[in-house]
Amino acid sequence: MSNIAEIARSQFKERLSEELKSLEVPEWKDKDGKPVVIYYRPVIKMSQQSVIMKHVQNKDYDKAQALNLIYRCRDKNGKLIFTPLQVDAVIDDFDPNVVASIIDRMNEDLPNDDDIEGN
């Protein structure tokens, strides 16, 4: 049984080490006026998903959305660009439409029902 656990760990470790995906955020410009590029992985840890889901269940949709952004957005080296301590800043200081757009675009890489059925 421990062999299966190692296989599962190894598989998830591979998913977490996959090449980062990226997207431009045209609403956010750097000092040269170019759109900011955000890097991300399509997967996050179950512990992070659980925190997000607790906020959804409590109808704290703003915190759930902010944490989704925080847990997924990374720099080109794979380091988080926001911390969970910034959740209130994301909620109060970031354009909610831009945050929703970023999350929607990141979610396009998640498997859909057809992809899952094909496996």
Side-chain angles (χ1 to χ4, degrees):
M1 189 145 95
S2 63
N3 187 33
I4 294 172
E6 280 304 312
I7 292 169
R9 267 191 213 95
S10 176
Q11 178 272 331
F12 189 57
K13 188 176 181 178
E14 283 181 30
R15 289 288 319 270
L16 290 174
S17 65
E18 288 176 0
E19 185 175 333
L20 294 171
K21 299 185 180 284
S22 65
L23 58 88
E24 285 188 354
V25 183
E27 298 87 352
W28 296 350
K29 307 263 193 257
D30 67 15
K31 63 183 178 183
D32 297 324
K34 296 179 183 174
V36 168
V37 176
I38 290 179
Y39 297 84
Y40 65 97
R41 291 188 182 92
V43 297
I44 62 174
K45 295 179 181 180
M46 198 180 304
S47 58
Q48 294 169 324
Q49 289 175 341
S50 177
V51 171
I52 292 168
M53 290 309 299
K54 284 179 186 175
H55 288 296
V56 169
Q57 291 168 346
N58 291 332
K59 296 184 173 39
D60 294 328
Y61 302 118
D62 55 348
K63 286 187 180 174
Q65 196 82 320
L67 286 168
N68 197 341
L69 184 82
I70 288 168
Y71 290 147
R72 294 180 73 187
C73 291
R74 298 173 180 276
D75 66 16
K76 64 182 175 183
N77 298 312
K79 300 280 186 188
L80 290 173
I81 57 176
F82 307 115
T83 71
L85 296 175
Q86 293 175 294
V87 69
D88 290 329
V90 172
I91 291 168
D92 293 332
D93 300 335
F94 290 22
D95 183 333
N97 294 320
V98 174
V99 170
S101 172
I102 292 168
I103 292 169
D104 287 346
R105 291 169 55 204
M106 287 191 285
N107 286 341
E108 289 175 1
D109 289 317
L110 296 176
N112 61 33
D113 292 339
D114 294 335
D115 294 333
I116 294 169
E117 287 177 13
N119 288 331

